[in-house]
């Protein structure tokens, strides 16, 4: 039961009988209720509207308006409709009671009134009323809380939605990034492989479907990158990417594999010419220079083309064959395209086999050095040797360096091989110096050793050189290192420093195959070079071709002007010798004097030296 304080309860008693009013008013007042009385219906209605009672005790039978009517009017008024009405009546008729409830009464007290009953019913009714009020208050509070929670939930929902959207955006970006190249925005290897796999499957279901893969590699990109800096290199790659896109149809895909390698997937072509035409178009586009930061940069590309065929079951095979064809294009002089065929594949397999053998050769020590004499043309005397490597393959016999040195450079094996041969050559000269100590000229002979650019780029190269000189006991001034022109392109200045340290050890430096590379006068002046070896190709043509003769003349003059010596390579005929002497070339080397000789051959030559040397080697004169 809800407890309450009776003073707060306002009860209106309506009865036309003054006695009844009095008894009820007294009884209820005695309990502490605030009591008002009305003698008829109209007064009751006015009183109820003026000050809302908490409960009305309403007599049914009254002269003007009866209780039912009063109750109905109370219920019809929005102000008073909720006031509980307990009917009072002497009538004990069931029908009246029903009516009393029908018009909105909540309880019924029969007359004559039992005080206790009245109090209990009033109390119950008030308690009920209060309970109602409490429930509706609780309901309201609940409603407010529900509304607040709904607003909170809405806010949380909105922020969740924002978070989900953001996550979706990040996820989409991650997916995009994982399939695209950060620098150029082109597709990357993953996207390409996915698309190629799809194309292969599509072609398996549609036998007439034709497609091709173009593997594009920029020529000399490394030189551009190294000489003009990486940011220019990057800009060039972006410009090339844009150009490539312009050469394609909308459904073709161009991807960057990394570095200066791009791949194009031509989907749904109608003939082989469609692919070669694009190859031509790309060559044409790249031929015009790219203007980057006000500088005109020239580039070109080697392209390998492979056509889809039912033999291909995965993307890696196609990419491999396009790559093989691209290498072929490079080997055939760059700036061109080549179409893949099976013969290329066989050759690549052979090359792979060679690479395996080369790795074993290093371990099994299958290399030997041959030594080609270098001659002073003016004094007709031997001044030194060039050490030239030979590979004694257990089954294939002697393999010339042109067949394995490029491979050794590509695979990095040149570092190990180069170190071995540098030591071997130094040791050999030292041995000859000791063995032929009685011949004074032998002490001044020099040993030329070819050094690959990768060797020079090793930070520990000087340390290795020092160790070799120390272990072999050879004086540095007996050694001459042959380097290629490309080594001199050295924007970071590391090579310049290495070359300076080489010179500090009295070791001489030669530029090998001079005239075939990219050296400029400024490079030559900047580096401590002692002599230039004129490439064999110029000497070969010298007697037939005026232009080559002029080139040889210019190189000799250039060498002299810069305080260097010139050494002619590949002197084969007496005419060439005469011509070179006439041009003032100091040194020469070639089959005219001697082929590269094995160690034992050099020893028998030195044994005749200088006595009877000229009889054995008449061309030295
Ligand atoms: P290179 O350093 O320019 O060596 C000269 C090449 O010309 C040698 O070929 C030599 O045998 C050849 N040659 C000399 N005189 C004549 C001639 O009168 N006529 C003709 N037709 N050829 C002549 P080889 O030994 O086959 O070496 C080829 C290239 O391989 C070398 O060119 C050099 O670049 C590289 N190479 C050889 N040995 C080594 C080495 O020990 N280390 C490195 N890094 N490269 C080497
Ligand atoms: Mg050489
Ligand atoms: Mg050479």
């Amino acid at each position: 039961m809800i407890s309450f304080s009776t003073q707060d309860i306002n009860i209106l008693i309506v009865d036309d009988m003054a006695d009844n009013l009095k008894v009820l008013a007294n009884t209820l007042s005695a309990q502490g209720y605030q009591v008002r009385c009305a003698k008829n219906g109209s007064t009751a209605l006015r009183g109820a509207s003026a000050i809302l009672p908490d409960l009305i005790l309403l007599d049914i039978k009254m002269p003007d308006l009866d209780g039912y009517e009063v109750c109905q009017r109370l219920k019809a008024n929005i102000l008073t409709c909720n006031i509980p009405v307990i009917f009072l009546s002497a009538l004990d008729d069931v029908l009246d009671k029903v009516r009393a409830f029908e018009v909105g009464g909540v309880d019924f007290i029969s007359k004559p009134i039992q005080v206790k009953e009245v109090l209990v019913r009033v109390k119950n009714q008030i308690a009920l009323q209060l309970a109602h009020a409490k429930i509706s208050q609780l309901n309201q509070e609940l409603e407010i809380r529900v509304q607040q929670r709904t607003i909170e939930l809405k806010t949380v929902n909105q922020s969740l939605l924002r978070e989900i959207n953001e996550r979706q955006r990040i996820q989409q970006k991650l997916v995009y990034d994982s399939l695209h190249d950060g620098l150029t925005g082109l597709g990357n290897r993953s996207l390409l492989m996915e698309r190629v796999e799809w194309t292969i499957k599509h072609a398996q279901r549609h036998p007439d479907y034709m497609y091709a893969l173009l593997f594009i590699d920029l020529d000399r990109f490394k030189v551009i990158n190294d000489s003009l800096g990486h940011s220019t290199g990057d800009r060039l790659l972006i410009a090339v990417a844009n150009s490539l896109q312009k050469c394609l149809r909308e459904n073709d895909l161009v991807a960057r594999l990394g570095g200066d390698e791009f791949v194009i997937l031509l989907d749904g072509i109608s003939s082989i010419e469609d692919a070669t035409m694009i190859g031509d178009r790309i060559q044409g586009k790249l031929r015009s220079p790219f203007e980057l930061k006000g500088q005109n940069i020239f580039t070109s590309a080697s392209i390998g083309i492979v056509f889809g065929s039912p033999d291909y079951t995965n993307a890696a095979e196609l990419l491999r064959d396009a790559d093989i064809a691209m290498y072929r294009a490079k080997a055939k002089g760059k700036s061109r395209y080549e179409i893949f065929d099976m013969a290329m594949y066989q050759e690549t397999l052979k090359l792979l086999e060679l690479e395996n053998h080369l790795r074993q050769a290093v371990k099994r020590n299958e290399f030997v050095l041959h030594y080609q004499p270098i001659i002073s043309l003016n004094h007709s005397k031997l001044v030194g040797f060039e050490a030239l490597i030979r590979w004694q393959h257990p089954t294939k016999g002697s393999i010339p360096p042109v067949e394995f040195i490029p491979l050794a450079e590509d695979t990095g094996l040149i570092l190990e091989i180069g170190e071995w041969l540098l030591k071997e050559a130094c040791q050999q000269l030292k041995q000859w110096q000791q063995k032929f100590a009685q011949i004074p000229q032998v002490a001044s002979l020099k040993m030329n050793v070819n050094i690959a650019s990768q060797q020079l780029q090793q930070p520990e190269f000087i340390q290795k050189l020092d160790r070799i000189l120390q272990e072999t006991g050879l004086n540095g001034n007996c050694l001459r290192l042959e380097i290629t022109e490309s080594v001199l392109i050295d924007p970071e200045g590391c090579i310049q420093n290495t070359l300076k340290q080489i010179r500090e050890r009295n070791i001489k430096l030669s530029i090998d195959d001079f005239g075939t590379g990219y050296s400029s006068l400024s490079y030559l002046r900047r580096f401590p070079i002692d002599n230039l070896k004129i490439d064999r190709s110029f000497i070969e043509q010298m007697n037939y071709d005026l232009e080559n003769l002029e080139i040889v003349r210019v190189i000799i003059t250039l060498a002299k002007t810069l305080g260097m010596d010139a050494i002619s390579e590949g002197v084969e005929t007496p005419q060439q010798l005469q011509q070179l002497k006439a041009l003032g070339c100091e040194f020469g080397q070639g089959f005219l004097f001697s082929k590269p000789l094995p160690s034992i051959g050099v020893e028998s030559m030195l044994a005749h030296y200088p006595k009877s040397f000229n009889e054995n080697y008449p061309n030295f004169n």
Side-chain angles (χ1 to χ4, degrees):
M1 186 65 136
I2 288 188
S3 63
F4 55 88
S5 161
T6 51
Q7 292 127 1
D8 298 334
I9 308 295
N10 185 326
I11 300 175
L12 176 64
I13 310 166
V14 190
D15 202 325
D16 57 332
M17 306 289 281
D19 287 348
N20 282 346
L21 274 180
K22 201 173 167 191
V23 173
L24 283 168
N26 286 343
T27 308
L28 294 170
S29 298
Q31 290 300 314
Y33 292 109
Q34 293 179 39
V35 178
R36 284 187 294 149
C37 295
K39 278 196 171 148
N40 56 51
S42 316
T43 318
L45 287 171
R46 275 199 304 278
S49 303
I51 299 168
L52 291 181
D54 298 302
L55 178 70
I56 299 175
L57 299 179
L58 181 60
D59 188 23
I60 292 176
K61 211 159 179 210
M62 289 187 294
D64 55 346
L65 298 169
D66 69 8
Y68 300 132
E69 181 65 26
V70 173
C71 190
Q72 272 172 329
R73 291 195 190 180
L74 284 169
K75 295 298 159 190
N77 185 342
I78 191 147
L79 277 174
T80 54
C81 64
N82 289 324
I83 305 169
V85 175
I86 299 177
F87 282 109
L88 307 166
S89 177
L91 300 170
D92 208 359
D93 189 88
V94 172
L95 277 175
D96 282 332
K97 285 180 189 171
V98 170
R99 185 152 178 231
F101 286 118
E102 277 174 357
V103 296
V106 292
D107 205 353
F108 199 95
I109 299 174
S110 305
K111 289 181 183 174
I113 291 158
Q114 303 291 320
V115 170
K116 276 188 182 170
E117 182 193 351
V118 169
L119 288 179
V120 170
R121 287 192 189 271
V122 164
K123 199 175 172 190
N124 278 350
Q125 209 45 246
I126 295 292
L128 204 63
Q129 199 59 24
L130 287 175
H132 272 303
K134 187 77 188 165
I135 286 170
S136 87
Q137 186 200 346
L138 286 176
N139 268 346
Q140 268 177 12
E141 283 172 12
L142 197 65
E143 188 98 342
I144 290 168
R145 273 169 63 187
V146 167
Q147 276 173 4
Q148 277 172 346
R149 287 295 289 159
T150 310
I151 291 169
E152 278 170 24
L153 275 175
K154 261 192 193 155
T155 322
V156 171
N157 254 353
Q158 277 167 352
S159 82
L160 268 179
L161 209 66
R162 270 199 303 274
E163 202 168 311
I164 288 170
N165 284 342
E166 180 63 9
R167 275 172 194 236
Q168 274 176 344
R169 199 187 58 75
I170 292 172
Q171 206 169 354
Q172 278 166 357
K173 185 165 181 327
L174 280 176
V175 171
Y176 183 89
D177 288 350
S178 72
L179 294 175
H180 289 83
D181 169 45
L183 179 67
T184 60
L186 296 179
N188 63 10
R189 181 186 290 266
S190 306
L191 183 67
L192 174 81
M193 297 310 252
E194 229 172 70
R195 275 281 303 272
V196 176
E197 293 288 354
W198 183 91
T199 303
I200 291 172
K201 290 206 175 70
H202 183 76
Q204 280 164 352
R205 290 193 300 272
H206 305 87
D208 293 337
Y209 191 77
M210 281 181 73
Y211 63 96
L213 211 62
L214 274 65
F215 199 117
I216 301 161
D217 188 288
L218 299 185
D219 301 324
R220 300 192 309 114
F221 178 70
K222 190 173 157 23
V223 177
I224 293 171
N225 221 13
D226 287 350
S227 54
L228 301 178
H230 287 226
S231 71
T232 307
D234 283 353
R235 261 184 239 119
L236 177 64
L237 290 174
I238 294 168
V240 168
N242 291 338
S243 282
L244 290 179
Q245 269 173 320
K246 285 187 194 130
C247 295
L248 302 179
R249 301 161 309 168
E250 214 170 289
N251 58 330
D252 296 328
L253 172 75
V254 52
R256 176 171 172 244
L257 292 196
D260 58 346
E261 290 179 342
F262 298 87
V263 173
I264 292 172
L265 170 65
L266 297 179
D267 238 339
I269 48 174
S270 50
S271 69
I272 285 181
E273 284 73 38
D274 277 1
T276 54
M277 204 179 68
I278 298 229
D280 284 328
R281 200 183 294 162
I282 292 170
Q283 302 282 12
K285 267 244 182 258
L286 297 188
R287 219 158 275 144
S288 22
F290 289 92
E291 207 198 298
L292 301 176
K293 270 186 147 182
Q295 209 172 354
N296 272 346
I297 309 234
F298 287 86
T299 186
S300 63
S302 300
I303 304 176
I305 303 178
V306 65
F307 291 100
S309 89
D311 296 335
Y312 288 113
T313 54
N314 65 55
E317 291 170 355
L318 263 165
L319 201 64
R320 175 200 66 199
D321 290 351
D323 192 21
I324 289 174
M326 184 279 290
Y327 267 102
R328 177 56 59 93
K330 285 239 186 255
K332 280 196 169 175
K334 304 180 178 168
S335 188
R336 56 186 291 144
Y337 66 76
E338 281 294 317
I339 298 171
F340 175 80
D341 60 32
M342 264 335 263
M344 278 185 202
Y345 180 63
Q346 298 301 344
E347 274 171 44
T348 309
L349 279 189
K350 263 202 205 154
L351 211 62
L352 268 180
E353 193 189 37
L354 191 70
E355 182 185 331
N356 272 339
H357 287 171
L358 193 61
R359 283 183 195 282
Q360 287 163 9
V362 176
K363 288 192 204 103
R364 293 187 196 151
N365 229 335
E366 290 172 0
F367 301 107
V368 289
L369 288 184
H370 282 197
Y371 304 92
Q372 188 174 35
I374 299 174
I375 310 301
S376 156
L377 303 183
N378 288 334
H379 305 98
S380 307
K381 65 170 197 180
L382 179 69
V383 294
F385 301 95
E386 176 175 5
L388 294 159
I389 195 165
R390 304 290 178 257
W391 177 7
Q392 304 295 350
H393 193 279
T395 54
K396 294 185 175 136
S398 180
I399 302 180
V402 281
E403 282 182 33
F404 68 88
I405 289 288
L407 187 63
E409 288 179 346
D410 279 354
T411 53
L413 284 168
I414 193 70
L415 297 179
E416 219 175 314
I417 299 174
E419 194 179 336
W420 170 84
L421 72 86
L422 180 60
K423 186 171 180 193
E424 178 73 14
C426 291
Q427 204 163 300
Q428 182 63 84
L429 186 60
K430 183 69 191 176
Q431 255 182 32
W432 288 335
Q433 285 173 352
Q434 287 166 341
K435 194 165 177 180
F436 301 99
Q438 78 284 3
I439 307 170
Q441 289 89 335
V442 172
S444 61
L445 292 180
K446 307 252 176 303
M447 181 63 85
N448 280 27
V449 179
N450 294 286
I451 300 292
S453 70
Q454 279 153 288
Q455 287 177 270
L456 277 184
Q457 274 154 9
Q458 279 183 296
E460 64 277 16
F461 180 74
I462 294 294
Q463 246 172 295
K464 285 184 177 171
L465 191 64
D466 283 343
R467 208 189 56 231
I468 288 172
L469 289 178
Q470 199 203 349
E471 283 173 7
T472 59
L474 188 77
N475 193 325
N477 67 8
C478 299
L479 185 61
R480 189 187 277 141
L481 303 184
E482 295 192 6
I483 58 176
T484 54
E485 289 172 76
S486 59
V487 166
L488 304 185
I489 301 172
D490 169 40
E492 268 117 50
C494 310
I495 298 289
Q496 185 162 15
N497 188 35
T498 307
L499 296 185
K500 226 179 88 207
Q501 293 190 58
I502 291 174
R503 276 292 300 265
E504 280 164 13
R505 284 150 180 80
N506 277 327
I507 299 169
K508 306 267 177 295
L509 286 165
S510 262
I511 305 280
D512 205 356
D513 309 331
F514 189 78
T516 57
Y518 299 102
S519 43
S520 70
L521 277 177
S522 72
Y523 288 138
L524 281 184
R525 283 186 36 192
R526 199 177 322 144
F527 292 100
I529 307 297
D530 300 285
N531 50 47
L532 304 179
K533 293 190 79 173
I534 308 168
D535 191 65
R536 202 170 70 221
S537 56
F538 302 119
I539 309 293
E540 206 175 14
Q541 297 293 320
M542 193 174 57
N543 294 115
Y544 317 104
D545 178 346
L546 215 66
E547 206 174 296
N548 278 302
L549 178 71
E550 280 316 306
I551 291 175
V552 175
R553 190 200 305 277
V554 166
I555 297 176
I556 292 169
T557 313
L558 176 68
K560 282 196 173 146
T561 314
L562 294 174
M564 302 174 186
D565 290 328
I567 304 181
S568 294
E569 294 181 324
V571 184
E572 291 184 354
T573 66
Q575 292 93 314
Q576 288 168 344
L577 176 60
Q578 287 318 312
Q579 194 68 267
L580 287 167
K581 275 184 169 174
L583 291 174
C585 179
E586 293 88 347
F587 302 102
Q589 154 185 11
F591 294 170
L592 180 69
F593 310 115
S594 168
K595 290 207 163 179
L597 301 168
S599 164
I600 191 158
V602 174
E603 290 189 7
S604 71
M605 174 196 249
L606 290 180
H608 295 113
Y609 198 79
K611 229 172 46 181
S612 74
F613 179 79
N614 291 344
E615 288 154 30
N616 284 292
Y617 298 95
N619 290 324
F620 277 33
N621 286 309

